[in-house]
Amino acid sequence: ETHEIEVTTPGASDELEGPVMFKAYRGFDVICEQQDPKTNKIKQIEGRLVERNNEFTIVNIKGRMKKMKNSTVLSVRLPKAKKETGGGGKKK
């Protein structure tokens, strides 16, 4: 009889914070939560992180650049990892 034990840790936060993290994740897919200043509604924007400076967060959405004032950006995070199906580990 075989037993399997799986140990997991929460890992790093998926939310980007600080200039070092933003620089490291340039070109990565991100999800931004932005509060619309006119309607106060929160929008989720998915795209690739282009840049974050003192004033703006810039995301590429299907080839179009979206420039958001940092004061309206509530969070920038990495999407959940996609599970990959592997072909290994067949038991005989």
Side-chain angles (χ1 to χ4, degrees):
E1 189 176 322
T2 49
H3 298 282
E4 191 174 303
I5 297 175
E6 186 176 319
V7 179
T8 59
T9 59
S13 167
D14 57 354
E15 191 163 328
L16 303 185
E17 294 175 356
V20 173
M21 281 186 83
F22 279 99
K23 193 172 185 180
Y25 286 101
R26 275 187 192 162
F28 279 70
D29 288 335
V30 292
I31 299 169
C32 299
E33 283 194 349
Q34 181 189 31
Q35 187 162 14
D36 189 312
K38 294 174 189 152
T39 64
N40 265 354
K41 288 187 178 174
I42 296 171
K43 296 188 285 185
Q44 265 199 357
I45 296 149
E46 294 185 40
R48 282 186 196 262
L49 181 62
V50 176
E51 185 183 347
R52 168 116 171 180
N53 56 39
N54 292 335
E55 209 175 334
F56 296 102
T57 300
I58 304 167
V59 176
N60 180 337
I61 306 166
K62 297 181 183 172
R64 300 185 76 165
M65 298 300 166
K66 171 102 174 146
K67 192 174 186 180
M68 300 171 278
K69 282 195 170 197
N70 290 342
S71 59
T72 66
V73 177
L74 304 175
S75 71
V76 179
R77 59 188 164 83
L78 301 172
K80 295 282 180 218
K82 295 180 179 85
K83 294 207 176 210
E84 294 181 18
T85 54
K90 286 189 179 178
K91 293 181 181 176
K92 293 181 181 178

